[in-house]
Amino acid sequence: MTYLTRATATAGALLAAAGLLAAGPARAASHPYGNRLHLTVTRDGARAGGAHDVLLRCAPPQGHPYAAEACAELTAARGDIDRIPARKVFCPRIYSPVTATARGHWNGRTVDFRRTYTNSCELRARTGAVFALGN
């Protein structure tokens, strides 16, 4: 029984090592700070201090109310917020503009994103969990 357990552990370790070698170097390691974005949501006409902001870090996911979901969506979109699939939701046609800003690095690439949306419902529909900052 000991032989089988050691053999299984050795085989598992060899498979894991082979998988890491096949994957090549991690691209996130190419930037000293890894995948991290400073996210801000500001309502139009908000007074100073009216903006919500967080620092989203993705190794491990932290700093954001929905860090794991936001990191997963950004990973699927290769760090391009415009590539996050829009959700099919009904948003009221109320004009209450919000501006979303993201600055930082993703897989060694600089991210500088800024968009103004008609209202917070449209913001969430277009950007998923990334800008769900609890505002």
Side-chain angles (χ1 to χ4, degrees):
M1 183 117 165
T2 303
Y3 175 75
L4 182 59
T5 303
R6 286 185 186 161
T8 303
T10 302
L14 288 174
L15 285 173
L20 288 173
L21 289 174
R27 289 191 53 163
S30 65
H31 190 274
Y33 300 112
N35 292 340
R36 60 191 311 159
L37 297 176
H38 182 251
L39 305 169
T40 306
V41 175
T42 308
R43 292 197 174 282
D44 190 34
R47 297 184 318 228
H52 294 282
D53 66 326
V54 299
L55 178 61
L56 171 65
R57 293 176 295 236
C58 290
Q62 58 185 331
H64 185 289
Y66 303 98
E69 294 90 343
C71 291
E73 289 174 358
L74 285 165
T75 298
R78 292 185 229 142
D80 185 352
I81 297 169
D82 285 325
R83 291 179 53 133
I84 295 173
R87 295 177 181 167
K88 294 182 182 185
V89 298
F90 175 75
C91 290
R93 297 186 66 122
I94 298 172
Y95 185 72
S96 180
V98 292
T99 301
T101 306
R103 288 192 171 83
H105 291 86
W106 193 269
N107 289 341
R109 188 176 54 88
T110 299
V111 174
D112 190 7
F113 174 88
R114 180 182 174 92
R115 299 279 184 285
T116 299
Y117 298 92
T118 305
N119 54 44
S120 57
C121 179
E122 182 188 2
L123 168 70
R124 283 189 215 102
R126 300 278 180 121
T127 64
V130 175
F131 288 102
L133 308 181
N135 49 341

